[in-house]
Amino acid sequence: MIARVYTVPLQLTAYTVQIDLFDIAPADDKPIELHALYLGQSTELGDTAEEQLGIQIIRGFATVGSGGSNPTPTPINPSDTAAGFTARTGDTTIAVVGGGTTTHLHADTWNVRAPYQIVWTPECRPQCTQGQTRIVIRLSGAPADSITIAGTLYVGETG
């Protein structure tokens, strides 16, 4: 089955702590998969401000974070229905396990002097079902100083 694809925007916001950039919770019988991730920043300019920030993709958190926003996913195809999954962005209190288990699907680093762009091939797309609760894209640590980040996550949904 071909997935409907939606964008989830992370609006340009300044952060000084570890954050969940994106948190996606699939709907019942509507598994999701991540198609692409784009991140950029507008404050850490120049050699002396250069940072390498860790990026993690983790599946299985029981409790959502807080302090961010709830953007409405937008279908790429304007004829598609509204997304069944729920999305959060920019949570400054990160999601927690809450008695379940988590699975680390992807780890990487982002040199903030350049955009972070990843487009997964179909066989490598991180996936999540409602039974696995949610999938989170997280900065694995706090930045050294304030950094203003924006981005877009492309999410496919079937069912």
Side-chain angles (χ1 to χ4, degrees):
M1 177 181 274
I2 296 175
R4 293 173 305 280
V5 179
Y6 301 85
T7 62
V8 178
L10 171 66
Q11 299 300 329
L12 197 62
T13 305
Y15 299 100
T16 58
V17 297
Q18 180 181 25
I19 62 168
D20 285 345
L21 296 162
F22 298 92
D23 182 311
I24 307 296
D28 189 27
D29 296 326
K30 292 186 177 183
I32 60 102
E33 60 185 11
L34 307 183
H35 286 243
L37 171 64
Y38 295 86
L39 296 173
Q41 63 83 30
S42 63
T43 51
E44 299 287 303
L45 305 173
D47 292 345
T48 58
E50 187 169 342
E51 283 188 71
Q52 292 283 113
L53 298 176
I55 303 280
Q56 296 175 321
I57 299 177
I58 308 164
R59 180 175 58 206
F61 290 103
T63 305
V64 69
S66 64
S69 64
N70 296 68
T72 300
T74 303
I76 294 290
N77 179 340
S79 299
D80 278 344
T81 60
F85 65 88
T86 58
R88 290 196 53 81
T89 59
D91 280 332
T92 53
T93 300
I94 60 175
V96 296
V97 176
T101 59
T102 58
T103 304
H104 290 253
L105 300 174
H106 183 87
D108 205 347
T109 57
W110 170 32
N111 181 327
V112 299
R113 286 190 72 190
Y116 182 86
Q117 301 176 348
I118 186 167
V119 178
W120 287 280
T121 60
E123 56 277 350
C124 293
R125 291 178 184 151
Q127 300 175 8
C128 189
T129 65
Q130 186 186 39
Q132 296 156 332
T133 65
R134 59 189 0 92
I135 195 165
V136 171
I137 300 174
R138 171 177 290 171
L139 284 184
S140 60
D145 53 3
S146 181
I147 183 170
T148 303
I149 301 172
T152 303
L153 179 65
Y154 290 77
V155 181
E157 180 180 65
T158 57

